[in-house]
């Protein structure tokens, strides 16, 4: 069993930055990949970015150049640095990790971009 706990969400003005963290605990050998998804009100959950155990990354097109995903395998933690935030980035951001053939999700953290 894997538990994922996100942190770092909040209210930020347009153009601002936030850094999300997701710490994994439990029965962990190698979570691969780890990633971030988001869900805005009335919309489907969508991929933000994934990062493999070896560091390979994959981003949704709309996030490239503004968001950076990274991970610390020693701490079983994945990060999402979000820059130049826009109101349309407002959503609940979820951490996801895959272990063997199972997907695990965090509880989500709210990010609100508003002036």
């Amino acid at each position: 069993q894997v538990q994922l706990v996100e942190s770092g969400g909040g209210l930020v003005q347009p153009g601002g930055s936030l850094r999300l963290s997701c710490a994994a605990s439990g029965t962990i050998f190698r979570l691969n990949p780890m990633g971030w998804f988001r869900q805005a009100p009335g919309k489907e959950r969508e991929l933000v970015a994934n990062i493999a155990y070896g560091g390979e990354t994959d981003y949704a097109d709309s996030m490239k150049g503004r968001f950076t995903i990274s991970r610390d395998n020693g701490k079983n933690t994945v990060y999402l640095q979000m820059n130049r935030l826009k109101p349309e980035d407002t959503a609940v951001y979820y951490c996801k990790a895959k272990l063997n053939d199972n997907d695990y999700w965090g509880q989500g953290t709210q990010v609100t971009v508003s002036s």
Side-chain angles (χ1 to χ4, degrees):
Q1 191 74 9
V2 176
Q3 293 81 43
L4 302 173
V5 178
E6 301 104 332
S7 60
L11 174 64
V12 63
Q13 292 186 343
S17 298
L18 280 176
R19 188 192 193 212
L20 305 182
S21 299
C22 171
S25 61
T27 306
I28 300 171
F29 174 62
R30 180 176 291 191
L31 297 171
N32 190 34
M34 295 184 76
W36 291 93
F37 287 69
R38 70 184 187 184
Q39 188 166 18
K43 295 187 177 181
E44 294 186 354
R45 193 170 297 188
E46 63 175 350
L47 171 70
V48 175
N50 274 325
I51 184 166
Y53 189 84
E56 297 84 3
T57 58
D58 178 35
Y59 293 90
D61 287 343
S62 62
M63 284 61 144
K64 289 180 180 178
R66 297 191 300 124
F67 293 6
T68 302
I69 190 170
S70 61
R71 66 188 287 173
D72 183 333
N73 291 329
K75 295 181 179 180
N76 293 313
T77 300
V78 63
Y79 306 96
L80 184 68
Q81 177 67 43
M82 303 186 293
N83 298 327
R84 303 197 306 277
L85 283 161
K86 305 174 182 179
E88 51 264 43
D89 294 317
T90 295
V92 178
Y93 284 71
Y94 295 92
C95 178
K96 179 185 174 183
K98 181 177 286 290
L99 178 63
N100 298 322
D101 293 327
N102 298 312
D103 290 332
Y104 298 90
W105 292 88
Q107 81 287 352
T109 185
Q110 177 70 46
V111 171
T112 302
V113 185
S114 175
S115 55

